[in-house]
Amino acid sequence: MAASNSIFTISPSGNVARISLNQSLSPPLSLPLNRSSSVALRPKPRSSSLVLCSTDESKITAEKEIPIELRYEAFPTVMDINQIREILPHRFPFLLVDRVIEYTPGVSAVAIKNVTINDNFFPGHFPERPIMPGVLMVEAMAQVGGIVMLQPEVGGSKSNFFFAGINKVRFRKPVIAGDTLVMRMTLVKMQKRFGIAKMEGKAYVGNTVVCEGEFLMAMGKEE
């Protein structure tokens, strides 16, 4: 049986109407939308801009372009060896401070000791493995403390300054030839009546603590 291409509808009044499927249907109604209910169907255009991200590779490449001898700045100089000699009474072979790189009057000082194979203690400590003696590390730190204590802000002088004692000293890592010993000494307490000062000290190689402890400084009376 051939398929019918017509449909029949019955109206409420009982009349039958025939509608051919070949007839063109009227276009669908278009409902206007107000501004609040309108929908934008336009496709969003693609952005052609590029986003550049910094990577570790670019940083490494930039570092490789700079020669290694130019990558690191030298320590600053607040006091050179000649100024240090004017403050400390020590002389060769017992002057163990090469440069002051930071100084806060009456409060603290940071200084360096360049440890070299030419230091006179290495032939005996030890011939096969040159290690800076711990007692000399403590002495070097005490000399940095002396730079703080012998200044006019504290009232000290070369003729009446003494290293009186140490407490809680710990050696964390060996210091060998070729290292740069960075020492910070800070004044914690000052008893002028008794002429005693307490200081805290830390010594570093790079960013590693190699020695730390508490120091007592005595200031004798002028005669």
Side-chain angles (χ1 to χ4, degrees), residues 169-214:
V169 173
R170 296 292 182 272
F171 301 103
R172 305 296 183 187
K173 187 178 178 181
V175 177
I176 63 174
D179 286 339
T180 298
L181 191 64
V182 182
M183 302 162 285
R184 174 181 289 275
M185 293 292 292
T186 304
L187 180 61
V188 177
K189 188 176 182 180
M190 178 70 182
Q191 296 181 343
K192 291 186 177 181
R193 179 181 177 184
F194 301 101
I196 299 294
K198 180 180 178 181
M199 306 191 77
E200 289 182 352
K202 285 188 177 183
Y204 302 80
V205 172
N207 58 1
T208 302
V209 177
V210 295
C211 181
E212 59 184 328
E214 298 176 353

Side-chain angles (χ1 to χ4, degrees), residues 150-161:
L150 296 177
Q151 297 299 317
E153 295 82 9
V154 181
S157 67
K158 289 192 291 186
S159 60
N160 62 3
F161 168 75

Side-chain angles (χ1 to χ4, degrees), residues 78-98:
V78 176
M79 297 182 192
D80 61 20
I81 189 61
N82 294 317
Q83 293 170 301
I84 293 171
R85 285 165 56 90
E86 292 177 358
I87 299 172
L88 294 179
H90 308 76
R91 292 296 182 266
F92 177 84
F94 228 65
L95 179 56
L96 301 175
V97 181
D98 294 327

Side-chain angles (χ1 to χ4, degrees), residues 51-184:
V51 179
L52 299 179
C53 298
S54 60
T55 61
D56 293 338
E57 292 182 359
S58 61
K59 183 178 179 181
I60 295 174
T61 303
E63 289 182 352
K64 286 183 179 180
E65 293 177 355
I66 303 176
I68 190 170
E69 66 271 17
L70 301 178
R71 293 180 198 169
Y72 308 101
E73 296 182 1
F75 285 108
T77 301
V78 176
M79 297 182 192
D80 61 20
I81 189 61
N82 294 317
Q83 293 170 301
I84 293 171
R85 285 165 56 90
E86 292 177 358
I87 299 172
L88 294 179
H90 308 76
R91 292 296 182 266
F92 177 84
F94 228 65
L95 179 56
L96 301 175
V97 181
D98 294 327
R99 182 191 304 180
V100 176
I101 62 176
E102 182 184 281
Y103 173 64
T104 304
V107 178
S108 65
V110 183
I112 63 173
K113 158 64 179 168
N114 294 309
V115 184
T116 75
I117 196 63
N118 293 319
D119 283 316
N120 67 332
F121 47 78
F122 278 137
H125 197 280
F126 299 99
E128 301 300 326
R129 189 185 179 191
I131 297 176
M132 184 176 184
V135 291
L136 293 185
M137 292 169 57
V138 171
E139 171 63 26
M141 295 169 70
Q143 291 181 16
V144 179
I147 293 175
V148 178
M149 299 303 300
L150 296 177
Q151 297 299 317
E153 295 82 9
V154 181
S157 67
K158 289 192 291 186
S159 60
N160 62 3
F161 168 75
F162 302 97
F163 181 19
I166 54 176
N167 192 24
K168 300 180 182 178
V169 173
R170 296 292 182 272
F171 301 103
R172 305 296 183 187
K173 187 178 178 181
V175 177
I176 63 174
D179 286 339
T180 298
L181 191 64
V182 182
M183 302 162 285
R184 174 181 289 275

